[in-house]
Amino acid sequence: QVQLVESGGGLVQAGGSLKLSCVASGSISNIINMAWFRQTPGKERELVARIGTHGVINYADSVSGRFVISRDNVKNAVYLQMNNLKPEDTAVYYCNADPWWGPSPSNEASWGQGTLVTVSS
């Protein structure tokens, strides 16, 4: 079991920045993939960015060039620096830790409780 605790959400004006943090604890030795997903009411949860222990990073097209994901393996943490935020970035953001690197979260993935990001126009 992996426990994930997110922080850093809040209200920001369009064009502003926020940094999300997620700290993992528990059975973390098998984590390969750490990622951020987001979800809005009525829509499926979507991948925002992910980073693997092998150094591979992927971004959703909608955030590429504006968001930066990073990882601190000593602190067992993953971060999401969000710049030039837009109203359409408004969502609940979830941290994800997965022992697998695949096209979608595995059944063994762990999720945080979510943190709300609201971008006003």
Side-chain angles (χ1 to χ4, degrees), residues 38-46:
R38 66 186 182 187
Q39 189 171 24
T40 54
K43 293 189 176 181
E44 291 189 358
R45 195 171 294 186
E46 64 174 2

Side-chain angles (χ1 to χ4, degrees), residues 2-118:
V2 174
Q3 293 78 44
L4 301 171
V5 179
E6 302 125 333
S7 60
L11 174 64
V12 64
Q13 288 188 332
S17 298
L18 279 176
K19 185 175 183 178
L20 304 182
S21 300
C22 172
V23 179
S25 61
S27 302
I28 59 176
S29 61
N30 294 329
I31 295 175
I32 292 177
N33 177 21
M34 295 197 78
W36 290 95
F37 285 73
R38 66 186 182 187
Q39 189 171 24
T40 54
K43 293 189 176 181
E44 291 189 358
R45 195 171 294 186
E46 64 174 2
L47 176 68
V48 176
R50 64 173 181 169
I51 181 169
T53 53
H54 39 47
V56 177
I57 294 175
N58 297 137
Y59 293 100
D61 289 343
S62 58
V63 307
S64 183
R66 300 188 296 122
F67 290 11
V68 178
I69 190 170
S70 60
R71 182 170 177 169
D72 186 331
N73 291 323
V74 174
K75 296 182 179 180
N76 300 316
V78 63
Y79 307 98
L80 186 68
Q81 177 66 47
M82 304 184 293
N83 302 317
N84 190 21
L85 282 160
K86 303 176 180 181
E88 52 263 41
D89 295 317
T90 296
V92 176
Y93 285 71
Y94 295 91
C95 180
N96 166 278
D98 204 324
W100 300 97
W101 180 270
S104 60
S106 75
N107 291 334
E108 299 175 48
S110 299
W111 296 90
Q113 79 283 359
T115 185
L116 177 63
V117 172
T118 303

